[in-house]
Amino acid sequence: MKIDLHTHSIASDGTQTPGDVARSAHEAGVDVFALTDHDTTAGWREAGDTAVALGVAFVPGMEITCTTRDGISVHMLSYLHDPRYQPLVDRIEEGCRHRLTRARRMVELLSEDYPITWQDVQDQVGPGATVGRPHIADALVALDAVPDRSAAFAGLLSGRSRYYVRHQALDPVEAIKLVRAAGGVPVCAHPMAPLRGRVASPADFEEMIDAGLAGLEVAHRDNPDESRAILMRLAAEHDLLVTGSSDYHGAGKPNRLGENSTSVRSLTRICEQATSGVEVRWP
C-alpha cells in the first residue's frame, strides 16, 4: 500500500486545487494520502470527497509553521485533529497575521533591487490562502528574477539573504501541546533538512518528545541519509512512529507524489492515537 502523508494545495502554497491533488494522487497510484496545507484545513472537504470517489483514502491534516526560541524553523504536521478547537485556531490565525506582515516586509526589501510589487505576489495566491515565501518565490519566477522556486529559496529568500525577515511563529512545543489538546497526532516534518537552514538541536527534540511528539517524518527528500539514520535511532529510543512522504506541491516543487511512503503500521498508530473524532475517510 502506497501511503503519502504530506501534500499541499492552493489552499496554502501548492499549485493545484485540493480536488486536483486527490486526482493526481490517484493517477500516481497512491492508496492513501493526507492534505497538509500550511496553517489551514480549508481543503479537507474537497480533497476528501474527490479522493473517496476515486477509491483513494484521505487523511485530514495540516502543517503548522513553528520557530524555536533560537529562531530555528520547525514544521509540525498534525493529523486528525479537531479543526474547530479554538485555542489552536486562534494561535494559527495569529501566526498567519505575522506571516502576512513578514511577507510584506520582504517584498519591500526585494523591491529595492527587483521590480516586484505586492500585487505581483497577491497574483500568485490561491483563494483564501495566506501569503508566504512560496508566493513571493512564484512572483520572482514570473518576473524572470529566478528560474524556479527552488532557486528562490536557495538564494533571495533563504535565511542568509539580506531580504529575509524572521517569522514570529508558534514554538513547536506549544504546537505539539495544542495539537494533542485538539485530539490530533503531531509529527515533525523533514526534521533534519540542512538545505532548509539550521535544524533543531537534540535538546529541542527532547523537549518536543516530552511535550507529546508522536513521530518523525524520516523518508523525505530533504533529509540526507546520515540524518535519516539519526532520526531512526531517535524514533527507536523513544518509540516514535516514522513516516515517509513526498511534500508534494504540484508544479511548485520537483517532489513527486508517492516518492516516499509511510507504513501501514505507522498509519494505524496515528489512527489509534487520535482522540478528536476526526477519522481517515476510506472509500
Side-chain angles (χ1 to χ4, degrees), residues 87-136:
L88 177 58
V89 171
D90 289 345
R91 293 295 278 126
I92 292 295
E93 288 179 349
E94 181 181 346
C96 287
R97 289 193 293 272
H98 284 306
R99 271 178 82 183
L100 184 61
T101 301
R102 172 211 199 191
R104 283 186 176 275
R105 180 56 183 154
M106 288 186 72
V107 172
E108 287 176 4
L109 292 172
L110 283 161
S111 68
E112 295 174 4
D113 299 309
Y114 297 90
I116 187 171
T117 67
W118 184 244
Q119 186 59 53
D120 292 329
V121 176
Q122 288 183 304
D123 290 343
Q124 305 297 326
V125 183
T130 300
V131 179
R133 281 192 299 164
H135 304 111
I136 301 175

Side-chain angles (χ1 to χ4, degrees), residues 173-187:
V173 168
E174 182 184 1
I176 290 166
K177 291 178 178 178
L178 285 169
V179 169
R180 287 294 195 182
V185 184
V187 173

